[in-house]
Amino acid sequence: MSSRSAATLRSRYAEQAASDLADNRRRQQELTDQIAVLKQQEALLLDILNLAERYEGFADASRLPEQVQDEPGTATAPAAKKTAPVAKAPAAGRAPAAKAPAAKKATANTKAKAGAKGKSHQPLLGDLLVDLLAGHDTPQPASDLREELLAKHPDRNPTPQVVRNTLESLVAKSRIRRHKKQRAVMYTLVKSAN
């Protein structure tokens, strides 16, 4: 083997190694981004579970979250009056253990109300996507809907995966329809019969 062919072979190996290394770094970055998205989704799901556990003991749990969102002034005052006396002045015959759950509920209610007051009332992502689809007569891909959402609502920045998940949940609720053409998935609004 001549020195020229050995040098050519070495340069090919070096180019191949550099290319493989660049592919490896790109894939690592993609995986890092996917992990970040999964961590966001995990945090969201944990928040949903915590809220579900909080409202589990209420008589009409389906009504309570709407009150906290839509009527923060009227929903918070009566609830605080009902729970505060129980936590501060238990009956003489009650054991100390009976105080703890009431105090925990009062604390949880206070935290939930404080969180509801601190957050501005934003429309749900699903409602925004339905509104965007209402403006189109033809099926739209999730990526185009996300771009339109970012343009019309710069304060919202959902990941492409969150947009797709939200669209699929709307399909499951029969609010929108999914269309598949080869590998492309597009969505349209379900027209009401009214």
Side-chain angles (χ1 to χ4, degrees):
M1 186 183 279
S2 69
S3 62
R4 181 182 233 185
S5 63
T8 304
L9 188 59
R10 264 191 239 115
S11 68
R12 285 184 187 165
Y13 280 142
E15 288 173 10
Q16 182 63 41
S19 173
D20 290 347
L21 193 58
D23 287 344
N24 191 349
R25 286 190 181 126
R26 180 190 51 77
R27 183 67 181 141
Q28 285 178 349
Q29 184 60 42
E30 288 174 2
L31 291 173
T32 302
D33 293 344
Q34 288 177 351
I35 288 171
V37 168
L38 289 172
K39 284 182 180 179
Q40 287 176 346
Q41 290 176 349
E42 178 189 26
L44 177 65
L45 290 173
L46 287 174
D47 287 345
I48 291 170
L49 282 174
N50 288 337
L51 285 173
E53 288 173 0
R54 273 191 209 156
Y55 297 120
E56 197 171 282
F58 290 102
D60 189 10
S62 62
R63 176 75 180 127
L64 192 58
E66 287 180 14
Q67 289 175 342
V68 173
Q69 283 182 350
D70 297 336
E71 308 160 6
T74 58
T76 56
K81 289 178 185 174
K82 289 178 188 174
T83 57
V86 174
K88 290 181 183 175
R94 286 192 184 164
K99 266 197 308 190
K104 285 182 184 177
K105 282 185 182 178
T107 306
N109 287 341
T110 306
K111 287 180 183 176
K113 291 169 198 161
K117 286 181 185 176
K119 294 181 181 176
S120 63
H121 182 52
Q122 289 187 340
L124 297 174
L125 180 59
D127 294 337
L128 292 175
L129 292 171
V130 167
D131 290 344
L132 292 176
L133 280 170
H136 297 283
D137 293 332
T138 59
Q140 297 294 311
S143 58
D144 289 357
L145 290 169
R146 179 177 181 266
E147 289 174 16
E148 190 175 346
L149 176 75
L150 294 174
K152 289 187 177 180
H153 301 277
D155 57 320
R156 306 291 290 259
N157 189 17
T159 63
Q161 185 64 47
V162 169
V163 171
R164 284 192 299 273
N165 291 349
T166 305
L167 288 168
E168 288 302 317
S169 72
L170 291 169
V171 169
K173 295 175 185 175
S174 299
R175 292 182 66 191
I176 65 173
R177 200 172 275 131
R178 179 189 319 115
H179 305 274
K180 288 187 178 180
K181 288 186 179 178
Q182 296 171 352
R183 293 183 61 192
V185 179
M186 298 194 220
Y187 302 90
T188 57
L189 189 63
V190 172
K191 303 294 182 196
S192 61
N194 299 5

